[in-house]
Amino acid sequence: MTNTPSNDQSFDTSSEQLTLIEQLKQVELFNGRAAMLGIVIGIVVEGLTGFGIAHQIGLGALFDGYAACRTQFLPFCF
């Protein structure tokens, strides 16, 4: 009779783990789809405006070289 509570407890733990794994799969699927959608939107906007994705999110100065040197984002100049 003492084995029954431990078996029930391990069953609850394994069912909780399966539930968490299922939720994790759903969340990761959503994150992957959101990332793909974001990249596609960024590429489309780049094609329409000519500004790269770094410029769209405000990090263009870090990749421009001269602007990065002038604003002292980088310790060296190109």
Side-chain angles (χ1 to χ4, degrees):
M1 295 262 174
T2 58
N3 291 339
T4 305
S6 64
N7 288 342
D8 290 340
Q9 188 178 19
S10 65
F11 179 73
D12 290 339
T13 304
S14 65
S15 66
E16 289 174 4
Q17 287 176 349
L18 289 175
T19 303
L20 291 176
I21 290 172
E22 219 26 67
Q23 289 175 349
L24 181 64
K25 286 180 183 180
Q26 291 175 355
V27 168
E28 287 298 323
L29 183 64
F30 178 79
N31 286 341
R33 289 176 178 170
M36 288 186 285
L37 184 63
I39 292 294
V40 168
I41 290 171
I43 291 171
V44 168
V45 171
E46 181 177 355
L48 294 174
T49 64
F51 293 110
I53 294 176
H55 287 277
Q56 294 173 27
I57 62 173
L59 297 176
L62 290 173
F63 297 104
D64 283 344
Y66 180 71
C69 184
R70 288 199 62 182
T71 56
Q72 299 176 356
F73 285 130
L74 298 175
F76 54 86
C77 296
F78 300 126

